Amino acid sequence: MFVNTIFRRFLFIIVFLVISLYIAYITFYPLYISSDININFPSGSFNIYPDHSSLWEKIKILYLIFFVISDLIYSNLIYQKLFTKINKKITKLQKIQMQDLHLTIMNNSTDTPLIIPKEGLYQNILITGTIRYRKNKLSNVSFYKTINRF
């Protein structure tokens, strides 16, 4: 399986490289074989080939090397976007939210939800109120039983 994916990636990279080199060959062939390269400046034109022919040859070779390297990088990026499966890691919070039974309590000041999972609904919790009305008490009825009544 692993060798198969490496072979498919290698085949895709080679095909992509051949196609892009062919397109570059068609596009830049007249420039590559020309012996008269004029660069126009406001003060006049400058012919690069007779004066600096070795420099022009080195520039063409460097262009080909960088073109192949960048083409390899682009083909790898395209292969990853097209053919790899996205493996999303599910966090513990998302696992709790995917359960069929849970209680979500939202805090408006921080926008972070407090999620009580299914196991937590079977527990008794302390409900606090104000001191003035003395409504602090321990709830003897679980949330699960209360939710099922509705």
Side-chain angles (χ1 to χ4, degrees), residues 6 25 80-81 85 107 137:
I6 290 176
Y25 174 76
Q80 286 177 352
K81 293 288 184 187
K85 295 178 183 175
N107 186 355
K137 64 178 181 178

Side-chain angles (χ1 to χ4, degrees), residues 8 20 24 61-62 72 91-92 101 115 118 125 127 146 150:
R8 282 192 303 165
S20 61
I61 291 171
L62 277 174
L72 290 173
T91 62
K92 190 174 181 181
L101 182 64
I115 297 175
K118 183 178 181 179
I125 61 169
I127 300 173
T146 307
F150 295 112

Side-chain angles (χ1 to χ4, degrees), residues 112-126:
T112 55
L114 173 66
I115 297 175
I116 301 173
K118 183 178 181 179
E119 294 82 19
L121 296 177
Y122 294 111
Q123 304 297 320
N124 295 328
I125 61 169
L126 179 66

Side-chain angles (χ1 to χ4, degrees), residues 8-81:
R8 282 192 303 165
R9 181 180 287 242
F10 181 72
L11 185 67
F12 178 79
I13 290 170
I14 295 299
V15 168
F16 189 82
L17 183 65
V18 167
I19 290 172
S20 61
L21 280 174
Y22 181 70
I23 292 171
Y25 174 76
I26 291 172
T27 307
F28 296 114
Y29 182 71
L31 182 64
Y32 192 72
I33 63 167
S34 68
S35 61
D36 189 29
I37 310 294
N38 288 325
I39 300 174
N40 293 325
F41 291 113
S43 61
S45 65
F46 174 69
N47 191 357
I48 194 171
Y49 195 76
D51 298 335
H52 305 286
S53 61
S54 64
L55 175 67
W56 179 245
E57 293 295 325
K58 290 177 184 175
I59 288 173
K60 289 191 286 187
I61 291 171
L62 277 174
Y63 170 77
L64 288 175
I65 291 170
F66 284 119
F67 181 80
V68 169
I69 291 171
S70 65
D71 198 37
L72 290 173
I73 292 170
Y74 286 134
S75 62
N76 274 318
L77 291 174
I78 290 171
Y79 182 83
Q80 286 177 352
K81 293 288 184 187

